[in-house]
Amino acid sequence: MKTAMVIGAGPAGLMAAGELARAGIKVVVAEAKPSPARKFLMAGKSGLNLTKGEPLEVFLGNYSGSPRIRDITAEFGPEQVADWTRGLGQEVFTGSSGRVFPLVMKASPLLRAWLAELDELGVTLKTRWRWAGWDGDRLIFDTPDGRKFETPDVTILALGGASWARLGSDAAWVPWLAEKSVDIAPFQASNAGLLVNWSTHMERHFGSPIKPARLTAGAHSVRGEFVISQRGLEGSAIYAMSKPVRDGAELCVDLVPDRDVVDVAARLSKSRGKTSLANHLRKQLKLGPAQIALLQEFARPLPQDSQALAAVIKALPIRHDGLRPIDEAISVAGGLRFDDLDGGLMIRTLPGVFACGEMLDWDAPTGGYLLTACFATGRHAGRAAVRFLEG
């Protein structure tokens, strides 16, 4: 019987393990942590966003990096993810934003069903097995029973990126692949909050949502919401701006996205008598205290001219100190470059060694895109490994 070692028990690794096991290959999954899929479980704490229900062409347009990430994800896109989830006995529903969730919302029931299926297929899960590189052709693992050496027929690397190290994605694998002349793009924070050094008057607004809003940075624009936090700005709309902000584009927010600048200026030009500017903004534009505080924070002193003030409200520049540290980011850009991988995600310089998931060089926003690509690349690498063994 042929053997396969999958290193990393996250979504990509578990998906690859299933493909190999269904082909009759003896599969061992090595996981450094005491339990599998910790980042997957953490992502599901507030509702497991599996994928996004939208036309495939629109869905794939959210991925950046090599076109190959879009081609691979197209093979196992939103419809396939939903069908796969149902196949594990977990019904799904689509929210008003198009995001797809398990009906129970949490990740743990889906993970239990998935692990049970893999167990029935004969997959062996080894926890607290930390990969420590190679010794010649042998894989080295540090385990509770001491150092172990393995020589499988194929190896799938599903080691994650460089964010949330405490959950397993610590990028410790980078030096070992670099020694094998594998090209690795530097990791950068993605889907991360913004650091802002607030003035003291903002403290009472910590935790306040800003919605509706439209954020713009360079050619990128997204409508959504975000939250004022003690350390800066958080939320899906902010995360979606990670790439242009990382590239140096100025970030602006439109606080009244449902009104054009002419309408805003006309409303502001109405006489306010003895009413304070804050009350005038609240009455004419329905701006809340947090929105007004944000306006004062980034544009004080506010223009007195109604047209100039309208322009600021429609495009308020956000001063910030950059993205949160990489280990606090939801995901990362960077990783193994696709040029060093063949069509099946096998590392060209390491025959029989495949890679998948977040350790590859691609980027996407939150909203189901990250998980879908992890599922898809794991499936793709697993199937390619089967073909390699059959070849």
Side-chain angles (χ1 to χ4, degrees):
M1 180 179 284
K2 296 290 186 180
T3 60
M5 179 70 70
V6 177
I7 307 178
L14 294 180
M15 190 64 77
E19 295 297 330
L20 288 157
R22 276 186 282 272
I25 296 160
K26 184 179 180 181
V27 183
V28 174
V29 178
E31 169 57 46
K33 293 295 182 180
S35 58
R38 290 194 164 196
K39 191 173 180 181
F40 180 73
L41 289 171
M42 178 63 78
K45 273 199 166 184
S46 59
L48 182 65
N49 185 190
L50 289 163
T51 190
K52 183 80 174 286
E54 59 189 4
L56 185 59
E57 184 177 348
V58 175
F59 185 87
L60 297 176
N62 287 276
Y63 293 90
S64 58
S66 169
R68 289 175 59 191
I69 188 62
R70 293 185 283 277
D71 295 339
I72 292 170
T73 304
E75 299 170 359
F76 197 74
E79 290 186 11
Q80 290 81 7
V81 169
D83 289 343
W84 169 79
T85 306
R86 295 188 190 99
L88 287 171
Q90 301 298 309
E91 190 51 64
V92 299
F93 74 95
T94 303
S96 58
S97 65
R99 298 184 179 194
V100 178
F101 301 87
L103 198 58
V104 296
M105 291 297 285
K106 296 180 180 179
S108 50
L110 176 59
L111 179 61
R112 284 196 297 270
W114 194 0
L115 292 174
E117 179 189 69
L118 293 175
D119 184 61
E120 290 178 3
L121 289 169
V123 174
T124 300
L125 175 62
K126 301 280 191 181
T127 56
R128 294 188 173 90
W129 273 46
R130 177 173 289 278
W131 184 45
W134 282 278
D135 176 27
D137 292 334
R138 302 187 300 173
L139 295 166
I140 308 169
F141 292 93
D142 291 325
T143 80
D145 299 319
R147 180 152 281 196
K148 302 285 187 182
F149 299 90
E150 299 288 337
T151 313
D153 294 305
V154 291
T155 300
I156 307 281
L157 302 179
L159 292 153
S163 64
W164 294 17
R166 66 187 178 87
L167 301 179
S169 298
D170 58 11
W173 51 268
V174 170
W176 302 321
L177 289 178
E179 287 175 3
K180 300 288 186 179
S181 301
V182 180
D183 193 13
I184 301 166
F187 284 115
Q188 301 178 80
S190 185
N191 291 295
L194 284 178
L195 292 167
V196 180
N197 184 21
W198 298 115
S199 58
T200 55
H201 88 280
M202 291 297 295
E203 291 179 4
R204 61 194 179 102
H205 300 290
F206 293 164
S208 298
I210 301 296
K211 61 178 182 180
R214 176 169 291 280
L215 289 167
T216 301
H220 298 263
S221 181
V222 63
R223 182 190 171 103
E225 61 182 83
F226 57 92
V227 175
I228 300 171
S229 71
Q230 183 176 0
R231 296 182 61 190
L233 297 172
E234 305 281 347
S236 58
I238 292 291
Y239 303 153
M241 292 289 106
S242 290
K243 187 178 187 302
V245 167
R246 212 169 51 222
D247 294 340
E250 181 185 40
L251 181 64
C252 296
V253 59
D254 180 353
L255 295 172
V256 284
D258 296 325
R259 302 185 186 280
D260 61 30
V261 69
V262 175
D263 178 45
V264 173
R267 288 173 177 271
L268 292 175
S269 66
K270 293 180 180 179
S271 175
R272 60 185 173 99
K274 295 181 179 180
T275 304
S276 68
L277 178 57
N279 283 332
H280 190 57
L281 291 170
R282 185 161 43 248
K283 180 179 179 181
Q284 295 299 328
L285 299 177
K286 310 300 183 187
L287 292 184
Q291 292 166 306
I292 295 171
L294 206 62
L295 187 62
Q296 294 279 9
E297 179 76 3
F298 293 130
R300 185 185 298 161
L302 297 179
Q304 296 302 306
D305 176 73
S306 59
Q307 291 187 348
L309 181 56
V312 170
I313 292 170
K314 290 291 292 178
L316 175 66
I318 295 178
R319 296 190 306 273
H320 58 85
D321 296 321
L323 297 174
R324 295 275 285 271
I326 194 168
D327 193 47
E328 298 177 21
I330 293 174
S331 64
V332 292
L336 293 182
R337 298 186 191 273
F338 278 87
D339 287 347
D340 276 16
L341 306 171
D342 75 1
L345 299 180
M346 184 172 73
I347 300 173
R348 297 184 190 277
T349 57
L350 297 170
V353 179
F354 298 76
C356 56
E358 286 194 48
M359 64 186 298
L360 306 183
D361 182 17
W362 57 275
D363 196 9
T366 57
Y369 305 105
L370 296 171
L371 262 181
T372 300
C374 286
F375 293 143
T377 56
R379 173 182 177 274
H380 189 86
R383 292 190 166 196
V386 170
R387 293 195 298 271
F388 176 85
L389 291 174
E390 291 175 345

